[in-house]
Amino acid sequence: MVFVELFVVLAFIYLGARIGGIGIGLAGGAGVLVLSLFLGVDTGHIPVDVILIIMSVIAAIAAMQVAGGLEWLVDLSETFLRKNPKHITFYAPVVTYFMTLLAGTGHTAFSTLPVIAEVAKEQGIRPSRPLGISVVASQIAITASPISAAVVFFSGILEPIGVSYLTLLAVCIPTTFIACMVGAFVSNFLGCELKDDPVYQARLEKGLIKLQGKTQRDILPTAKPATYIFITAIIGVIVYATLISDTVNLIPNPSLGRNEAIMVFMLSAATAIVAFTKIDASEIANAATFKSGMSACICVLGVAWLGDTFVSSHINDIKALSADVLNQYPWMLAVTLFFASMLLYSQGATTTALMPAALAIGVAPITAIASFAAVSALFVLPTYPTLLAAVQMDDTGSTRIGNMVFNHPFLIPGLVTISTSVALGFAFGGIML
């Protein structure tokens, strides 16, 4: 029966991947139905806190977007990149990394990708180089964002075994950022020079390539106040988490837990943005970030519930099979997370589906934290939205998907970035833990 149940889990994950979009979440729920009603498996744990945190954070981000805050941040990013155009391959991932770190979602990269492509093209730099590593940076930064669903959930299951939220961030932020810079260095040597690319030359001859210059944006007067409110809320979350942590312990026995604090800080930020900027609150639900965030909730609900239903019912068998292997080869956890995230298309879903099982079978905290970055392998299959957007926004044709599917400009920078982050995670973790 174990193999029958595993087949059901994999079949519905495959079905969800084929459907695309929120299909992975929808199919996950259908998989739980089959496991519970037809095979008699007790349903697993629903990651309610993760879903509620995603909803709260997205509400604040969407409010900031309606007020023009994201547009202002993109304008600042373009100004920064145009001041340092020669080093676009290094500066572009810095921009996408910190925008994701701030917002807790990699979809913020959508608005910066056209800027990156344009600046690279103007400098005669192959756009696939900065675009490739920028997409990867926007994905791996999820595992370092203080308000991302993946980090919040992971820290929640680490705290009972003695690893605090702040310790997790202290390891993940420097390791992922340094890894992105290593990935940028490698990306800087990938592919021929733009002027030597036959696809670029063919497009140039056909007049398909145009230089647009700096985009003129009308920044709303509400943009800056909304952004400041949102950033203040993030700082508030980190400060409060510090005050209630076992290390500082300035607020013993807090009436408001950390997860609940994130929710109320974010909802309060959204309220303050609406109140002070006078935006139309009904427009928040129409914002692109709101729609993508709600889709993420469905994905996490379905696939995490499906994964936990199977794992929790066979945890003893999984322990017996996996414990020895992971004790001898701890890096195998990173490999497992890497391939899982390729299919699940979500750092949050991969974390909620697999990390509890990893810790339950006795994986050391340092191994789990070091391997955490591997949940960001969303770049392997060339079907993720930000990856496809980067391909479409590069009119030089240098950012293209090869006829072998996997030979695209995101794969090597991504592999280098994740493997470097995992290696640094073991090094930093050995110091911090």
Side-chain angles (χ1 to χ4, degrees), residues 150-175:
V151 167
V152 170
F153 177 82
F154 190 33
S155 66
I157 61 175
L158 284 174
E159 285 187 340
I161 57 176
V163 180
S164 71
Y165 170 72
L166 297 175
T167 301
L168 176 62
L169 292 178
V171 174
C172 291
I173 291 176
T175 55

Side-chain angles (χ1 to χ4, degrees), residues 207-344:
L208 299 176
I209 299 172
K210 298 178 181 179
L211 296 177
Q212 299 176 356
K214 190 179 189 306
T215 305
Q216 298 300 317
R217 298 180 179 85
D218 294 325
I219 305 301
L220 298 175
T222 56
K224 292 182 182 180
T227 306
Y228 295 148
I229 290 170
F230 181 73
I231 293 174
T232 301
I234 294 176
I235 294 172
V237 167
I238 296 173
V239 170
Y240 183 78
T242 303
L243 295 178
I244 66 173
S245 67
D246 292 335
T247 305
V248 178
N249 201 30
L250 288 180
I251 305 178
N253 302 315
S255 57
L256 184 66
R258 192 203 64 238
N259 287 2
E260 291 78 10
I262 294 175
M263 297 177 206
V264 298
F265 272 69
M266 290 294 111
L267 293 176
S268 298
T271 303
I273 290 171
V274 173
F276 285 104
T277 64
K278 309 298 183 184
I279 61 171
D280 185 354
S282 64
E283 290 298 314
I284 294 175
N286 296 323
T289 49
F290 187 88
K291 293 176 181 178
S292 64
M294 294 308 109
S295 297
C297 289
I298 298 296
C299 292
V300 170
L301 169 62
V303 76
W305 195 8
L306 175 63
D308 195 75
T309 296
F310 175 76
V311 170
S312 60
S313 63
H314 299 290
I315 189 64
N316 291 329
D317 296 328
I318 294 172
K319 283 182 179 179
L321 290 172
S322 305
D324 290 340
V325 174
L326 289 175
N327 284 332
Q328 292 182 8
Y329 309 102
W331 50 267
M332 283 296 294
L333 176 60
V335 175
T336 302
L337 296 172
F338 183 93
F339 284 104
S341 64
M342 282 173 49
L343 299 175
L344 299 181

Side-chain angles (χ1 to χ4, degrees), residues 1-11 35 39 41 310 313-314 317 321:
M1 286 303 296
V2 173
F3 293 104
V4 173
E5 293 165 16
L6 179 60
F7 174 79
V8 169
V9 171
L10 296 177
L35 288 178
L39 299 179
V41 179
F310 175 76
S313 63
H314 299 290
D317 296 328
L321 290 172

Side-chain angles (χ1 to χ4, degrees), residues 77-86 91 119:
S77 300
E78 180 167 4
T79 301
F80 169 71
L81 292 174
R82 288 189 177 280
K83 286 182 178 178
N84 306 278
K86 294 294 184 182
Y91 289 122
V119 173

